[in-house]
Amino acid sequence: MNCEKCGAKLREGARFCPKCGSEIAVAQTKTGIKSNKVICLLIISVALTVIAVVTVLFAGRERNAKSEDSSYGVNVYSEREDTVNEKAIDDTEESLEEEMMSEQTGEDTDDLIMSEPAEVYRVLDDNVADYNSTQLLDYRLYNRYEGQDKYMYGYPASLFNSYYESDEIKPGECYGTRIHQNAYSASDDSYVCFNMYERTDSFSISDMGMYTYNYEAQYLTDPQPVINGLSSDEQCYMSILVGFTDETRNTSVYNLVRTEGEYIYQMKIYYPTPGDIESKKHTDYYIDCMYRLCEFSNHQSSPRSYEEYIESID
């Protein structure tokens, strides 16, 4: 803006000319003021725009923060829910454990059948052979062994003081490959041996069964067949031999061999030859129980009590 009198340049908002001293017209000042107002309005507008942008950005961040807080809240709830579930699982497991313990101890279980003392069911080192013992004369107190296929049997643990078991594969045995063996011995030199063989021969059931019979008979003194022959369906050959280990006849032998399919099963029992009638009844009943409790003996009836056995032979 210039002075109207002398044309000198005036500073913004001046009321007098610095060169000629003339008073500046009001119109010119208003123009400057107006210009100043415009500038101020522009500044204010820019400031408002900046504030608006900042406000929008802040609002966006706040919404995001709230969204994140909301997700975290879900996560926290989920974790809390997992904790509740874990506690429920723990409570359930604890309840099941208590229930199992209750069943084992007989608490709150009216129909739980309690067994005899554990000593009755174990082969103990200090067991002394006694054919008058309660367990020997009660088949219900016999132990139960369950193996592969038909390799299952019962035995009076109280009679024996030594036990041996092997699942070691023994190829080249007389009947093929031996895959199981269980042996029990007693203080009076009683002995029971269970064997299971996997056949490697190419004979028929009948021929292999006859071979097992002749093979076992050659090791007995005065061998007598109890059973020897092929089953009616020709799927099994069973032989049972009784005799003595030697000429003294002090030790008797009961030898059962079953040939069926791919396997041969054997139960061989050695026991002191009874010296009197009562002892013979006890040992004969023991053999009868062993036969009936042996799964591969092909027995047709369940074991019987000692009293029932005596009634059947008297």
Side-chain angles (χ1 to χ4, degrees):
M1 182 175 63
N2 297 323
C3 177
E4 291 181 352
K5 297 290 185 180
C6 64
K9 189 173 182 177
L10 300 175
R11 61 181 179 80
E12 197 70 35
R15 296 186 62 188
F16 296 94
C17 175
K19 186 176 181 180
C20 65
S22 299
E23 186 177 3
I24 305 302
V26 176
Q28 283 185 296
T29 303
K30 287 182 178 180
T31 301
I33 293 172
K34 185 176 180 181
S35 298
N36 289 339
K37 286 183 179 180
V38 170
I39 293 171
C40 288
L41 288 173
L42 288 174
I43 292 172
I44 292 170
S45 176
V46 170
L48 290 174
T49 301
V50 171
I51 291 172
V53 170
V54 170
T55 301
V56 170
L57 291 175
F58 181 79
R61 288 188 61 186
E62 186 174 5
R63 281 195 301 271
N64 290 337
K66 288 181 179 180
S67 177
E68 290 175 0
D69 288 343
S70 176
S71 297
Y72 179 74
V74 171
N75 290 337
V76 170
Y77 176 78
S78 177
E79 289 175 3
R80 183 170 64 251
E81 188 178 51
D82 288 343
T83 302
V84 171
N85 290 338
E86 288 175 3
K87 185 177 185 304
I89 293 171
D90 291 340
D91 291 344
T92 302
E93 290 178 348
E94 184 177 349
S95 176
L96 288 173
E97 288 176 0
E98 290 176 354
E99 183 177 344
M100 290 174 66
M101 288 297 295
S102 175
E103 290 178 357
Q104 291 175 1
T105 57
E107 296 176 1
D108 301 326
T109 311
D110 296 333
D111 58 349
L112 181 65
I113 299 175
M114 302 303 292
S115 64
E116 293 294 318
E119 297 79 39
V120 176
Y121 289 90
R122 293 203 303 267
V123 172
L124 301 175
D125 293 341
D126 57 355
N127 278 350
V128 176
D130 180 9
Y131 293 88
N132 298 308
S133 70
T134 302
Q135 191 188 21
L136 201 70
L137 298 179
D138 188 347
Y139 73 90
R140 294 171 301 177
L141 301 180
Y142 277 40
N143 275 21
R144 181 71 176 167
Y145 181 91
E146 297 189 2
Q148 177 182 342
D149 198 57
K150 288 183 166 67
Y151 194 70
M152 304 177 188
Y153 57 85
Y155 65 97
S158 64
L159 179 64
F160 306 106
N161 61 4
S162 179
Y163 170 65
Y164 170 80
E165 178 177 5
S166 175
D167 290 332
E168 181 183 359
I169 305 299
K170 289 286 187 179
E173 296 284 329
C174 57
Y175 299 144
T177 300
R178 193 186 72 201
I179 57 179
H180 293 296
Q181 183 178 63
N182 299 68
Y184 306 80
S185 58
S187 60
D188 62 351
D189 295 328
S190 297
Y191 183 77
V192 178
C193 184
F194 294 88
N195 293 306
M196 180 177 179
Y197 301 91
E198 187 170 20
R199 294 176 58 190
T200 56
D201 63 271
S202 58
F203 300 135
S204 66
I205 294 291
S206 178
D207 289 344
M208 191 59 191
M210 183 57 70
Y211 170 78
T212 63
Y213 174 84
N214 292 327
Y215 184 87
E216 298 297 332
Q218 67 179 322
Y219 294 104
L220 294 178
T221 296
D222 193 17
Q224 300 293 324
V226 177
I227 296 175
N228 182 37
L230 193 65
S231 62
S232 58
D233 59 5
E234 300 185 352
Q235 299 300 308
C236 161
Y237 192 103
M238 176 78 75
S239 67
I240 298 178
L241 277 165
V242 296
F244 305 95
T245 57
D246 53 41
E247 296 295 336
T248 65
R249 299 174 182 257
N250 291 329
T251 303
S252 297
V253 180
Y254 179 94
N255 193 352
L256 182 156
V257 182
R258 177 190 182 97
T259 303
E260 181 177 12
E262 300 177 356
Y263 300 106
I264 294 176
Y265 308 89
Q266 181 179 39
M267 177 177 68
K268 201 168 188 177
I269 305 174
Y270 299 82
Y271 57 99
T273 303
D276 56 69
I277 298 298
E278 194 65 24
S279 296
K280 188 176 188 314
K281 288 180 180 180
H282 290 172
T283 55
D284 285 353
Y285 176 69
Y286 155 60
I287 299 298
D288 186 70
C289 289
M290 293 291 283
Y291 167 75
R292 291 169 183 262
L293 290 171
C294 181
E295 190 70 24
F296 56 81
S297 67
N298 202 31
H299 60 83
Q300 300 299 317
S301 56
S302 59
R304 47 194 171 174
S305 68
Y306 179 69
E307 291 74 18
E308 291 171 335
Y309 172 76
I310 294 301
E311 289 177 4
S312 70
I313 62 174
D314 285 345

